[in-house]
Amino acid sequence: MARTISLHAGMGTQVVDFLSKYAELPAAGVVAGQSVASALDAVFGRHDPVINDIDIFRRVRIDSTIGMDMCNNTAARHRLTDVDLEAWRRWAEYDGMSRVLRMIDTYKIQSVSRAGLLNFVNCTAAHEDSLLTAPRILSGFDLNCVRVGVDLATRQLVWDRHFERFMATRQLEISMLHTPHHTFLRFGKKLAEIPGVYGDVEAAAEICAGIAQSSFLTKLESDRSISMRFGKKMHELAAGNEQHWSPYFDLNRQDYFQVELTRQEYRNGRTNASGRKWVERKGAPSDPQPGDGKEVTLWSFKPLGRLDSTIANRLHRLGGAVLTHGPQVVYEARRTKSSSTHLKRVALAAAFGSQKASYVALNLQWFDASYVEGQAIEDVGLKVDGFVRKHPGFGGLLMGLTLAEQYQTIKRVLQVCREYDGVESLGVLEMHCTAVELGRPEAMRALLDWDRVESAKPFEIVPMKLPALPAVFAGFKVRELVTSGELRREGRDMKHCVGGYRWAIQGNHARIVQIRRYTPGDKSEWSTVEFHDAKASRRGGSRATTKGAFGSRAKLVVSQHKGRFNEEPADSNKAVVLYLVASYGKSPLEIKLIQSGVAEALRRAAVSALSAAIAPMTALARYVKGGLKALNARRDAARVALKELKEYRAMMASGYEKMTQTAPVPHDDDDADLAL
């Protein structure tokens, strides 16, 4: 591919026409990977095509013809000793890919088949009713040079930012990982066979070794959820490119032979179809071993050096995101930083480093200076931080972008939502969109169109036959919510999480009922109740609940009953729920008796409530009466005291008057002087 190629969607037609010379392509599905990149190279560039096979990704339904995930052999792979290692070796290249794709919620590989050059990868969407689109398929590819495809139904070319970078630089890079050792071998293969490309092999080795040793993948490997080992096909590739990996890894061989299960292992339930198990060979391959002679060999890489501790810590902090963003962390650590980049990083760290759970601060820790390329100012950081706080589902989708790219992506998302139907469509994108689709307004609009159609479809369930409410519940309305759109609206109106219960309903594990009494300006009698069928649960777990649940013989049990903001519902709403539980599945006569009982219970409850309301008033009246009595007694005592005081004053006045009348009056000077 020449660097001057400017990609556009219309190129898909020429790509399909070119690939049709090699094999007859189907009318539907997605053709993607190296064959499409080579076709672009041949049609619009200056290099000869490199076409080993043509990968066709197509959606299939999970049914008996596919079985239980042939490519993963999930049911038999919980323990290494129980694994059909021959099947493992056969599907090794697709096994890790499928498991990782489940983790990053894109799609699942059910099986693979081949017809000439056509390699059919049969997939299901991450969720049964979600979309399987070309961007979602590309998001699962590990190398940037193959993240391009064509939707065969529309003949539109689809690519992502990793492929654009490859087009501009011709530098081969790792975009994400399925299993690290497979990716490193594929990196060397592409580097050798694609003309005009270059790549940093040491960086690729550091990425694969670092992610293989990360705490997240180490835990997955210890749980037997994913394997770092590979079989004969990848070993042949390793043998042909030894000069590529030998400076960085040792190749370890592990041989296994098959023996019969012991009696104790049978008792412990470790049985399989063959009644045998695989045991690792401890001695040399030439040493005789017990068993029936059936053997399998697997290989794995062991790193020769130690990973830089700073990089190792960053990969550890990423958790599960190490699969998709680990390569970027390593590439950034190896990149030389400019002085201006350093200054922007320091300024942002000072502004956001002290904030608790700041999204911008986390990105700075993970991606360091690469995060501040472009417009990285505090105002932009505040807007990105505020948006992710309100809509945390977008946090993972925006990871890996620079701060400036995150801000532009948010503006693009908000613009699409404003043109569509506002806040509700923002919730749809937060729940269903992928990182690749966020970069394409047309992909977001297609997702919203799909969701509008899907959310109006009723779930594939038999609706509950809710009994009519008696007259005592006048004004109340009850309604079962049977579409995902209704669930989302209920969650939006009630400010709680019922919008995410679609899977429980579709699995027939729960039913959601809306309870309302509509009063202008008052939503205190709004509530949402989740029911489950106690009889179906007793019959044995989730499998039993898929048949017969919530029928006429169901026994409703309230799983939870919430008002707005997850608060306690009103007593009147609780009474409605009690009536629904008591009346569900009953005959008309039984319902009539229940209604009479409810009316009597409500009358008694009303009398009881009235008595309860009057009791405090009676107590208050008694208290006031006692207080008045005491006050009157004090008043009478005061009157008596006042009377006694008046009498005392009168007595004193009378005595004084008598004293003045009997005292002698002096008439001469001597007596006056004496008196004086």
Side-chain angles (χ1 to χ4, degrees), residues 516-550:
R516 295 281 193 275
R517 174 179 271 172
Y518 293 97
T519 305
D522 182 15
K523 297 181 180 179
S524 61
E525 292 181 300
W526 287 22
S527 66
T528 312
V529 60
E530 177 193 353
F531 292 114
H532 72 267
D533 182 0
K535 290 185 177 180
S537 299
R538 285 198 300 270
R539 287 196 295 269
S542 60
R543 184 180 295 273
T545 60
T546 59
K547 289 187 178 181
F550 302 99

PDB file of all heavy atoms in Angstrom, residues 516-550:
ATOM      1  N   ARG A 516     -48.616   2.191  39.406  1.00  0.00           N
ATOM      2  CA  ARG A 516     -48.774   3.646  39.369  1.00  0.00           C
ATOM      3  C   ARG A 516     -50.135   4.067  39.921  1.00  0.00           C
ATOM      4  O   ARG A 516     -51.155   3.435  39.665  1.00  0.00           O
ATOM      5  CB  ARG A 516     -48.678   4.175  37.929  1.00  0.00           C
ATOM      6  CG  ARG A 516     -47.339   3.995  37.265  1.00  0.00           C
ATOM      7  CD  ARG A 516     -46.354   5.054  37.736  1.00  0.00           C
ATOM      8  NE  ARG A 516     -45.185   5.062  36.888  1.00  0.00           N
ATOM      9  CZ  ARG A 516     -44.133   4.271  37.038  1.00  0.00           C
ATOM     10  NH1 ARG A 516     -44.124   3.384  38.013  1.00  0.00           N
ATOM     11  NH2 ARG A 516     -43.103   4.365  36.221  1.00  0.00           N
ATOM     12  N   ARG A 517     -50.131   5.149  40.670  1.00  0.00           N
ATOM     13  CA  ARG A 517     -51.340   5.939  40.905  1.00  0.00           C
ATOM     14  C   ARG A 517     -50.987   7.349  40.467  1.00  0.00           C
ATOM     15  O   ARG A 517     -50.154   8.004  41.079  1.00  0.00           O
ATOM     16  CB  ARG A 517     -51.782   5.925  42.364  1.00  0.00           C
ATOM     17  CG  ARG A 517     -52.974   6.870  42.615  1.00  0.00           C
ATOM     18  CD  ARG A 517     -53.427   6.838  44.061  1.00  0.00           C
ATOM     19  NE  ARG A 517     -54.420   5.797  44.265  1.00  0.00           N
ATOM     20  CZ  ARG A 517     -54.881   5.448  45.463  1.00  0.00           C
ATOM     21  NH1 ARG A 517     -54.399   6.039  46.549  1.00  0.00           N
ATOM     22  NH2 ARG A 517     -55.795   4.513  45.581  1.00  0.00           N
ATOM     23  N   TYR A 518     -51.616   7.790  39.393  1.00  0.00           N
ATOM     24  CA  TYR A 518     -51.247   9.061  38.783  1.00  0.00           C
ATOM     25  C   TYR A 518     -51.982  10.203  39.479  1.00  0.00           C
ATOM     26  O   TYR A 518     -53.208  10.322  39.400  1.00  0.00           O
ATOM     27  CB  TYR A 518     -51.564   9.055  37.296  1.00  0.00           C
ATOM     28  CG  TYR A 518     -50.699   8.090  36.511  1.00  0.00           C
ATOM     29  CD1 TYR A 518     -51.155   6.815  36.195  1.00  0.00           C
ATOM     30  CD2 TYR A 518     -49.413   8.449  36.120  1.00  0.00           C
ATOM     31  CE1 TYR A 518     -50.354   5.920  35.497  1.00  0.00           C
ATOM     32  CE2 TYR A 518     -48.607   7.562  35.416  1.00  0.00           C
ATOM     33  CZ  TYR A 518     -49.085   6.300  35.105  1.00  0.00           C
ATOM     34  OH  TYR A 518     -48.292   5.417  34.425  1.00  0.00           O
ATOM     35  N   THR A 519     -51.224  11.031  40.168  1.00  0.00           N
ATOM     36  CA  THR A 519     -51.741  12.223  40.833  1.00  0.00           C
ATOM     37  C   THR A 519     -50.893  13.398  40.378  1.00  0.00           C
ATOM     38  O   THR A 519     -49.655  13.335  40.465  1.00  0.00           O
ATOM     39  CB  THR A 519     -51.640  12.085  42.362  1.00  0.00           C
ATOM     40  OG1 THR A 519     -52.319  10.890  42.766  1.00  0.00           O
ATOM     41  CG2 THR A 519     -52.279  13.284  43.050  1.00  0.00           C
ATOM     42  N   PRO A 520     -51.517  14.466  39.863  1.00  0.00           N
ATOM     43  CA  PRO A 520     -50.727  15.609  39.369  1.00  0.00           C
ATOM     44  C   PRO A 520     -49.757  16.129  40.423  1.00  0.00           C
ATOM     45  O   PRO A 520     -50.133  16.412  41.555  1.00  0.00           O
ATOM     46  CB  PRO A 520     -51.799  16.654  39.031  1.00  0.00           C
ATOM     47  CG  PRO A 520     -53.037  15.860  38.763  1.00  0.00           C
ATOM     48  CD  PRO A 520     -52.967  14.679  39.678  1.00  0.00           C
ATOM     49  N   GLY A 521     -48.474  16.193  40.032  1.00  0.00           N
ATOM     50  CA  GLY A 521     -47.455  16.731  40.918  1.00  0.00           C
ATOM     51  C   GLY A 521     -47.013  15.809  42.032  1.00  0.00           C
ATOM     52  O   GLY A 521     -46.227  16.223  42.901  1.00  0.00           O
ATOM     53  N   ASP A 522     -47.508  14.563  42.046  1.00  0.00           N
ATOM     54  CA  ASP A 522     -47.163  13.639  43.135  1.00  0.00           C
ATOM     55  C   ASP A 522     -46.802  12.277  42.551  1.00  0.00           C
ATOM     56  O   ASP A 522     -47.624  11.636  41.901  1.00  0.00           O
ATOM     57  CB  ASP A 522     -48.346  13.510  44.093  1.00  0.00           C
ATOM     58  CG  ASP A 522     -48.028  12.595  45.284  1.00  0.00           C
ATOM     59  OD1 ASP A 522     -46.831  12.312  45.497  1.00  0.00           O
ATOM     60  OD2 ASP A 522     -48.973  12.182  45.968  1.00  0.00           O
ATOM     61  N   LYS A 523     -45.562  11.838  42.790  1.00  0.00           N
ATOM     62  CA  LYS A 523     -45.108  10.528  42.315  1.00  0.00           C
ATOM     63  C   LYS A 523     -44.774   9.596  43.483  1.00  0.00           C
ATOM     64  O   LYS A 523     -44.042   8.630  43.324  1.00  0.00           O
ATOM     65  CB  LYS A 523     -43.877  10.694  41.415  1.00  0.00           C
ATOM     66  CG  LYS A 523     -44.159  11.498  40.146  1.00  0.00           C
ATOM     67  CD  LYS A 523     -42.916  11.619  39.274  1.00  0.00           C
ATOM     68  CE  LYS A 523     -43.220  12.422  38.015  1.00  0.00           C
ATOM     69  NZ  LYS A 523     -42.025  12.575  37.149  1.00  0.00           N
ATOM     70  N   SER A 524     -45.339   9.908  44.654  1.00  0.00           N
ATOM     71  CA  SER A 524     -45.036   9.098  45.827  1.00  0.00           C
ATOM     72  C   SER A 524     -45.625   7.698  45.731  1.00  0.00           C
ATOM     73  O   SER A 524     -45.181   6.784  46.435  1.00  0.00           O
ATOM     74  CB  SER A 524     -45.549   9.788  47.089  1.00  0.00           C
ATOM     75  OG  SER A 524     -46.963   9.948  47.032  1.00  0.00           O
ATOM     76  N   GLU A 525     -46.661   7.507  44.887  1.00  0.00           N
ATOM     77  CA  GLU A 525     -47.282   6.194  44.736  1.00  0.00           C
ATOM     78  C   GLU A 525     -46.912   5.566  43.391  1.00  0.00           C
ATOM     79  O   GLU A 525     -47.704   4.877  42.769  1.00  0.00           O
ATOM     80  CB  GLU A 525     -48.795   6.300  44.903  1.00  0.00           C
ATOM     81  CG  GLU A 525     -49.211   6.651  46.327  1.00  0.00           C
ATOM     82  CD  GLU A 525     -50.708   6.725  46.508  1.00  0.00           C
ATOM     83  OE1 GLU A 525     -51.340   7.554  45.823  1.00  0.00           O
ATOM     84  OE2 GLU A 525     -51.251   5.971  47.327  1.00  0.00           O
ATOM     85  N   TRP A 526     -45.676   5.794  42.968  1.00  0.00           N
ATOM     86  CA  TRP A 526     -45.086   5.114  41.825  1.00  0.00           C
ATOM     87  C   TRP A 526     -44.084   4.095  42.364  1.00  0.00           C
ATOM     88  O   TRP A 526     -43.280   4.405  43.257  1.00  0.00           O
ATOM     89  CB  TRP A 526     -44.350   6.094  40.921  1.00  0.00           C
ATOM     90  CG  TRP A 526     -45.234   7.008  40.112  1.00  0.00           C
ATOM     91  CD1 TRP A 526     -46.515   7.353  40.384  1.00  0.00           C
ATOM     92  CD2 TRP A 526     -44.863   7.700  38.928  1.00  0.00           C
ATOM     93  NE1 TRP A 526     -46.989   8.227  39.453  1.00  0.00           N
ATOM     94  CE2 TRP A 526     -45.995   8.463  38.538  1.00  0.00           C
ATOM     95  CE3 TRP A 526     -43.719   7.761  38.165  1.00  0.00           C
ATOM     96  CZ2 TRP A 526     -45.985   9.263  37.401  1.00  0.00           C
ATOM     97  CZ3 TRP A 526     -43.710   8.562  37.042  1.00  0.00           C
ATOM     98  CH2 TRP A 526     -44.832   9.302  36.658  1.00  0.00           C
ATOM     99  N   SER A 527     -44.111   2.902  41.813  1.00  0.00           N
ATOM    100  CA  SER A 527     -43.142   1.888  42.252  1.00  0.00           C
ATOM    101  C   SER A 527     -42.938   0.853  41.152  1.00  0.00           C
ATOM    102  O   SER A 527     -43.718   0.777  40.189  1.00  0.00           O
ATOM    103  CB  SER A 527     -43.598   1.209  43.545  1.00  0.00           C
ATOM    104  OG  SER A 527     -44.765   0.455  43.340  1.00  0.00           O
ATOM    105  N   THR A 528     -41.878   0.063  41.315  1.00  0.00           N
ATOM    106  CA  THR A 528     -41.537  -1.015  40.379  1.00  0.00           C
ATOM    107  C   THR A 528     -41.264  -2.268  41.197  1.00  0.00           C
ATOM    108  O   THR A 528     -40.535  -2.212  42.193  1.00  0.00           O
ATOM    109  CB  THR A 528     -40.281  -0.664  39.560  1.00  0.00           C
ATOM    110  OG1 THR A 528     -40.406   0.648  39.033  1.00  0.00           O
ATOM    111  CG2 THR A 528     -40.078  -1.657  38.432  1.00  0.00           C
ATOM    112  N   VAL A 529     -41.836  -3.393  40.767  1.00  0.00           N
ATOM    113  CA  VAL A 529     -41.664  -4.633  41.517  1.00  0.00           C
ATOM    114  C   VAL A 529     -41.093  -5.712  40.606  1.00  0.00           C
ATOM    115  O   VAL A 529     -41.456  -5.803  39.433  1.00  0.00           O
ATOM    116  CB  VAL A 529     -42.998  -5.095  42.156  1.00  0.00           C
ATOM    117  CG1 VAL A 529     -44.059  -5.329  41.099  1.00  0.00           C
ATOM    118  CG2 VAL A 529     -42.802  -6.350  42.990  1.00  0.00           C
ATOM    119  N   GLU A 530     -40.155  -6.493  41.127  1.00  0.00           N
ATOM    120  CA  GLU A 530     -39.593  -7.644  40.416  1.00  0.00           C
ATOM    121  C   GLU A 530     -40.122  -8.915  41.067  1.00  0.00           C
ATOM    122  O   GLU A 530     -39.993  -9.108  42.275  1.00  0.00           O
ATOM    123  CB  GLU A 530     -38.066  -7.637  40.481  1.00  0.00           C
ATOM    124  CG  GLU A 530     -37.444  -8.862  39.826  1.00  0.00           C
ATOM    125  CD  GLU A 530     -35.969  -9.040  40.155  1.00  0.00           C
ATOM    126  OE1 GLU A 530     -35.382  -8.150  40.784  1.00  0.00           O
ATOM    127  OE2 GLU A 530     -35.413 -10.103  39.795  1.00  0.00           O
ATOM    128  N   PHE A 531     -40.729  -9.792  40.243  1.00  0.00           N
ATOM    129  CA  PHE A 531     -41.231 -11.075  40.720  1.00  0.00           C
ATOM    130  C   PHE A 531     -40.352 -12.204  40.194  1.00  0.00           C
ATOM    131  O   PHE A 531     -39.758 -12.089  39.118  1.00  0.00           O
ATOM    132  CB  PHE A 531     -42.658 -11.333  40.216  1.00  0.00           C
ATOM    133  CG  PHE A 531     -43.696 -10.420  40.801  1.00  0.00           C
ATOM    134  CD1 PHE A 531     -44.371  -9.508  39.994  1.00  0.00           C
ATOM    135  CD2 PHE A 531     -44.019 -10.470  42.143  1.00  0.00           C
ATOM    136  CE1 PHE A 531     -45.332  -8.669  40.520  1.00  0.00           C
ATOM    137  CE2 PHE A 531     -44.982  -9.641  42.683  1.00  0.00           C
ATOM    138  CZ  PHE A 531     -45.645  -8.734  41.868  1.00  0.00           C
ATOM    139  N   HIS A 532     -40.286 -13.295  40.942  1.00  0.00           N
ATOM    140  CA  HIS A 532     -39.787 -14.549  40.380  1.00  0.00           C
ATOM    141  C   HIS A 532     -40.724 -15.672  40.805  1.00  0.00           C
ATOM    142  O   HIS A 532     -41.539 -15.508  41.721  1.00  0.00           O
ATOM    143  CB  HIS A 532     -38.352 -14.833  40.806  1.00  0.00           C
ATOM    144  CG  HIS A 532     -38.178 -15.234  42.239  1.00  0.00           C
ATOM    145  ND1 HIS A 532     -37.905 -14.324  43.240  1.00  0.00           N
ATOM    146  CD2 HIS A 532     -38.248 -16.451  42.843  1.00  0.00           C
ATOM    147  CE1 HIS A 532     -37.809 -14.950  44.394  1.00  0.00           C
ATOM    148  NE2 HIS A 532     -38.002 -16.235  44.191  1.00  0.00           N
ATOM    149  N   ASP A 533     -40.630 -16.801  40.094  1.00  0.00           N
ATOM    150  CA  ASP A 533     -41.513 -17.942  40.328  1.00  0.00           C
ATOM    151  C   ASP A 533     -40.827 -18.902  41.288  1.00  0.00           C
ATOM    152  O   ASP A 533     -39.846 -19.554  40.939  1.00  0.00           O
ATOM    153  CB  ASP A 533     -41.827 -18.628  38.991  1.00  0.00           C
ATOM    154  CG  ASP A 533     -42.796 -19.799  39.146  1.00  0.00           C
ATOM    155  OD1 ASP A 533     -43.215 -20.077  40.286  1.00  0.00           O
ATOM    156  OD2 ASP A 533     -43.128 -20.422  38.125  1.00  0.00           O
ATOM    157  N   ALA A 534     -41.342 -18.984  42.516  1.00  0.00           N
ATOM    158  CA  ALA A 534     -40.722 -19.839  43.523  1.00  0.00           C
ATOM    159  C   ALA A 534     -40.777 -21.307  43.126  1.00  0.00           C
ATOM    160  O   ALA A 534     -39.842 -22.065  43.381  1.00  0.00           O
ATOM    161  CB  ALA A 534     -41.412 -19.633  44.874  1.00  0.00           C
ATOM    162  N   LYS A 535     -41.863 -21.731  42.472  1.00  0.00           N
ATOM    163  CA  LYS A 535     -41.979 -23.139  42.080  1.00  0.00           C
ATOM    164  C   LYS A 535     -40.936 -23.499  41.033  1.00  0.00           C
ATOM    165  O   LYS A 535     -40.310 -24.556  41.099  1.00  0.00           O
ATOM    166  CB  LYS A 535     -43.379 -23.418  41.547  1.00  0.00           C
ATOM    167  CG  LYS A 535     -44.463 -23.392  42.620  1.00  0.00           C
ATOM    168  CD  LYS A 535     -45.804 -23.798  42.037  1.00  0.00           C
ATOM    169  CE  LYS A 535     -46.882 -23.846  43.114  1.00  0.00           C
ATOM    170  NZ  LYS A 535     -48.195 -24.238  42.565  1.00  0.00           N
ATOM    171  N   ALA A 536     -40.742 -22.624  40.053  1.00  0.00           N
ATOM    172  CA  ALA A 536     -39.748 -22.904  39.014  1.00  0.00           C
ATOM    173  C   ALA A 536     -38.353 -22.947  39.604  1.00  0.00           C
ATOM    174  O   ALA A 536     -37.519 -23.765  39.222  1.00  0.00           O
ATOM    175  CB  ALA A 536     -39.819 -21.842  37.920  1.00  0.00           C
ATOM    176  N   SER A 537     -38.054 -22.067  40.573  1.00  0.00           N
ATOM    177  CA  SER A 537     -36.735 -22.066  41.208  1.00  0.00           C
ATOM    178  C   SER A 537     -36.490 -23.362  41.959  1.00  0.00           C
ATOM    179  O   SER A 537     -35.403 -23.919  41.945  1.00  0.00           O
ATOM    180  CB  SER A 537     -36.627 -20.878  42.169  1.00  0.00           C
ATOM    181  OG  SER A 537     -36.772 -19.667  41.461  1.00  0.00           O
ATOM    182  N   ARG A 538     -37.524 -23.883  42.626  1.00  0.00           N
ATOM    183  CA  ARG A 538     -37.361 -25.133  43.360  1.00  0.00           C
ATOM    184  C   ARG A 538     -37.157 -26.311  42.427  1.00  0.00           C
ATOM    185  O   ARG A 538     -36.563 -27.308  42.798  1.00  0.00           O
ATOM    186  CB  ARG A 538     -38.599 -25.389  44.236  1.00  0.00           C
ATOM    187  CG  ARG A 538     -38.655 -24.511  45.466  1.00  0.00           C
ATOM    188  CD  ARG A 538     -39.621 -25.106  46.482  1.00  0.00           C
ATOM    189  NE  ARG A 538     -40.964 -25.230  45.960  1.00  0.00           N
ATOM    190  CZ  ARG A 538     -41.899 -24.289  46.056  1.00  0.00           C
ATOM    191  NH1 ARG A 538     -41.612 -23.144  46.649  1.00  0.00           N
ATOM    192  NH2 ARG A 538     -43.099 -24.477  45.567  1.00  0.00           N
ATOM    193  N   ARG A 539     -37.671 -26.176  41.175  1.00  0.00           N
ATOM    194  CA  ARG A 539     -37.501 -27.295  40.241  1.00  0.00           C
ATOM    195  C   ARG A 539     -36.065 -27.433  39.762  1.00  0.00           C
ATOM    196  O   ARG A 539     -35.719 -28.398  39.112  1.00  0.00           O
ATOM    197  CB  ARG A 539     -38.439 -27.130  39.034  1.00  0.00           C
ATOM    198  CG  ARG A 539     -39.892 -27.405  39.355  1.00  0.00           C
ATOM    199  CD  ARG A 539     -40.686 -27.599  38.074  1.00  0.00           C
ATOM    200  NE  ARG A 539     -40.746 -26.408  37.278  1.00  0.00           N
ATOM    201  CZ  ARG A 539     -41.716 -25.489  37.383  1.00  0.00           C
ATOM    202  NH1 ARG A 539     -42.650 -25.629  38.297  1.00  0.00           N
ATOM    203  NH2 ARG A 539     -41.729 -24.438  36.621  1.00  0.00           N
ATOM    204  N   GLY A 540     -35.250 -26.417  40.037  1.00  0.00           N
ATOM    205  CA  GLY A 540     -33.840 -26.651  39.717  1.00  0.00           C
ATOM    206  C   GLY A 540     -33.173 -25.613  38.883  1.00  0.00           C
ATOM    207  O   GLY A 540     -32.860 -25.854  37.737  1.00  0.00           O
ATOM    208  N   GLY A 541     -32.968 -24.401  39.425  1.00  0.00           N
ATOM    209  CA  GLY A 541     -32.056 -23.442  38.825  1.00  0.00           C
ATOM    210  C   GLY A 541     -32.579 -22.815  37.560  1.00  0.00           C
ATOM    211  O   GLY A 541     -33.739 -22.856  37.219  1.00  0.00           O
ATOM    212  N   SER A 542     -31.622 -22.224  36.800  1.00  0.00           N
ATOM    213  CA  SER A 542     -31.985 -21.421  35.644  1.00  0.00           C
ATOM    214  C   SER A 542     -32.571 -22.253  34.523  1.00  0.00           C
ATOM    215  O   SER A 542     -33.418 -21.785  33.777  1.00  0.00           O
ATOM    216  CB  SER A 542     -30.743 -20.673  35.135  1.00  0.00           C
ATOM    217  OG  SER A 542     -29.746 -21.587  34.770  1.00  0.00           O
ATOM    218  N   ARG A 543     -32.133 -23.505  34.379  1.00  0.00           N
ATOM    219  CA  ARG A 543     -32.664 -24.322  33.288  1.00  0.00           C
ATOM    220  C   ARG A 543     -34.161 -24.569  33.483  1.00  0.00           C
ATOM    221  O   ARG A 543     -34.943 -24.553  32.550  1.00  0.00           O
ATOM    222  CB  ARG A 543     -31.905 -25.647  33.213  1.00  0.00           C
ATOM    223  CG  ARG A 543     -32.336 -26.521  32.042  1.00  0.00           C
ATOM    224  CD  ARG A 543     -31.542 -27.813  32.040  1.00  0.00           C
ATOM    225  NE  ARG A 543     -30.141 -27.562  31.793  1.00  0.00           N
ATOM    226  CZ  ARG A 543     -29.616 -27.473  30.580  1.00  0.00           C
ATOM    227  NH1 ARG A 543     -30.363 -27.602  29.513  1.00  0.00           N
ATOM    228  NH2 ARG A 543     -28.330 -27.253  30.430  1.00  0.00           N
ATOM    229  N   ALA A 544     -34.569 -24.806  34.754  1.00  0.00           N
ATOM    230  CA  ALA A 544     -35.972 -25.094  35.023  1.00  0.00           C
ATOM    231  C   ALA A 544     -36.838 -23.872  34.819  1.00  0.00           C
ATOM    232  O   ALA A 544     -37.999 -23.983  34.469  1.00  0.00           O
ATOM    233  CB  ALA A 544     -36.139 -25.618  36.450  1.00  0.00           C
ATOM    234  N   THR A 545     -36.298 -22.690  35.008  1.00  0.00           N
ATOM    235  CA  THR A 545     -37.124 -21.502  34.916  1.00  0.00           C
ATOM    236  C   THR A 545     -37.449 -21.124  33.480  1.00  0.00           C
ATOM    237  O   THR A 545     -38.262 -20.242  33.259  1.00  0.00           O
ATOM    238  CB  THR A 545     -36.416 -20.311  35.580  1.00  0.00           C
ATOM    239  OG1 THR A 545     -35.181 -20.075  34.910  1.00  0.00           O
ATOM    240  CG2 THR A 545     -36.182 -20.570  37.044  1.00  0.00           C
ATOM    241  N   THR A 546     -36.839 -21.752  32.514  1.00  0.00           N
ATOM    242  CA  THR A 546     -37.116 -21.389  31.128  1.00  0.00           C
ATOM    243  C   THR A 546     -38.387 -22.025  30.602  1.00  0.00           C
ATOM    244  O   THR A 546     -38.852 -21.658  29.543  1.00  0.00           O
ATOM    245  CB  THR A 546     -35.939 -21.797  30.223  1.00  0.00           C
ATOM    246  OG1 THR A 546     -35.742 -23.210  30.337  1.00  0.00           O
ATOM    247  CG2 THR A 546     -34.679 -21.071  30.642  1.00  0.00           C
ATOM    248  N   LYS A 547     -38.948 -23.001  31.316  1.00  0.00           N
ATOM    249  CA  LYS A 547     -40.172 -23.650  30.877  1.00  0.00           C
ATOM    250  C   LYS A 547     -41.183 -23.641  32.014  1.00  0.00           C
ATOM    251  O   LYS A 547     -40.889 -24.051  33.135  1.00  0.00           O
ATOM    252  CB  LYS A 547     -39.913 -25.096  30.441  1.00  0.00           C
ATOM    253  CG  LYS A 547     -39.138 -25.210  29.135  1.00  0.00           C
ATOM    254  CD  LYS A 547     -39.071 -26.650  28.676  1.00  0.00           C
ATOM    255  CE  LYS A 547     -38.342 -26.762  27.342  1.00  0.00           C
ATOM    256  NZ  LYS A 547     -38.288 -28.155  26.868  1.00  0.00           N
ATOM    257  N   GLY A 548     -42.370 -23.154  31.731  1.00  0.00           N
ATOM    258  CA  GLY A 548     -43.434 -23.213  32.708  1.00  0.00           C
ATOM    259  C   GLY A 548     -43.406 -22.116  33.742  1.00  0.00           C
ATOM    260  O   GLY A 548     -44.303 -22.022  34.571  1.00  0.00           O
ATOM    261  N   ALA A 549     -42.381 -21.310  33.760  1.00  0.00           N
ATOM    262  CA  ALA A 549     -42.308 -20.262  34.756  1.00  0.00           C
ATOM    263  C   ALA A 549     -43.375 -19.209  34.494  1.00  0.00           C
ATOM    264  O   ALA A 549     -43.686 -18.896  33.347  1.00  0.00           O
ATOM    265  CB  ALA A 549     -40.927 -19.618  34.750  1.00  0.00           C
ATOM    266  N   PHE A 550     -43.956 -18.672  35.575  1.00  0.00           N
ATOM    267  CA  PHE A 550     -44.945 -17.603  35.509  1.00  0.00           C
ATOM    268  C   PHE A 550     -46.217 -18.027  34.799  1.00  0.00           C
ATOM    269  O   PHE A 550     -46.935 -17.207  34.245  1.00  0.00           O
ATOM    270  CB  PHE A 550     -44.362 -16.347  34.856  1.00  0.00           C
ATOM    271  CG  PHE A 550     -43.152 -15.831  35.562  1.00  0.00           C
ATOM    272  CD1 PHE A 550     -41.881 -16.117  35.086  1.00  0.00           C
ATOM    273  CD2 PHE A 550     -43.268 -15.104  36.726  1.00  0.00           C
ATOM    274  CE1 PHE A 550     -40.749 -15.668  35.747  1.00  0.00           C
ATOM    275  CE2 PHE A 550     -42.145 -14.649  37.393  1.00  0.00           C
ATOM    276  CZ  PHE A 550     -40.884 -14.926  36.912  1.00  0.00           C
TER     277      PHE A 550
END
